[in-house]
Amino acid sequence: TSEIQGIESMLVGVNQTATDEEVTIALNGLGVYATDSGRPLDDQNQPAEWAIAPASIIELEAGKSLTRVQGVSTIEPMQTHINFMKTESREATATPAVAVGIVEAEVSGVALSIEMAPMIAKVEEGEEDLLGKLDQFLFDLLTMWLPVHEGIQDTGVVASANFDDPMPKDTKAI
């Protein structure tokens, strides 16, 4: 959790840039318009709402114009920014590329071990505490909950919980 909080501002930046990109795409599709004419008037000479739609006709005073504002022509800078933020977040947390699915065509087991080592070491730090809590939970379940609430006796004993090797498995090779 603290690691995620450390990069929270970068994650907020990615989210904000993606939102800005969506708005940009929508406005570019819908268009933004400008005029040097006043607001349209209804039959009683009262201000009315603009009605810009397919197959509609917009009437302006003589000499006035209505133009579409030229929008952003590419979202490439936003995509570059998002990718930069994601890469920096990954590097700040020592998350290897292979952990997020970026894998070279042929990665040896040794190379994979070297790349994953910092992340695995980080995870192992919390495993001992988690395993202790899991062992206690299972013990309480077998010696207290099941006999008292379920009426199940002689449930056996759990020696100890453990985690499997965290290295990804090459299922094709296996």
Side-chain angles (χ1 to χ4, degrees), residues 104-138:
E104 299 294 324
E106 291 296 323
V107 178
S108 72
V110 174
L112 186 61
S113 295
I114 291 170
E115 189 172 350
M116 295 289 287
M119 184 178 203
I120 290 172
K122 224 180 339 180
V123 169
E124 285 175 347
E125 291 174 7
E127 279 184 358
E128 188 175 336
D129 184 44
L130 183 58
L131 286 172
K133 290 178 178 165
L134 184 57
D135 285 344
Q136 185 64 51
F137 168 76
L138 292 172

Side-chain angles (χ1 to χ4, degrees), residues 32-90:
V32 176
Y33 297 87
T35 183
D36 56 357
S37 178
R39 284 187 67 168
L41 302 174
D42 63 15
D43 295 338
Q44 286 79 35
N45 245 5
Q46 298 296 315
E49 294 297 318
W50 285 99
I52 300 175
S56 65
I57 298 174
I58 299 173
E59 292 184 46
L60 298 175
E61 301 167 17
K64 301 295 182 173
S65 66
L66 175 71
T67 57
R68 182 175 175 160
V69 176
Q70 184 61 34
V72 175
S73 60
T74 179
I75 57 169
E76 184 59 36
M78 291 176 214
Q79 288 291 308
T80 301
H81 180 66
I82 287 174
N83 289 331
F84 170 77
M85 297 289 275
K86 286 167 48 178
T87 301
E88 291 299 311
S89 298
R90 208 176 68 234

Side-chain angles (χ1 to χ4, degrees), residues 134-161:
L134 184 57
D135 285 344
Q136 185 64 51
F137 168 76
L138 292 172
F139 176 81
D140 292 346
L141 181 68
L142 293 173
T143 60
M144 291 186 274
W145 180 268
L146 292 175
V148 172
H149 296 286
E150 302 296 331
I152 300 172
Q153 301 299 324
D154 191 25
T155 56
V157 178
V158 174
S160 179

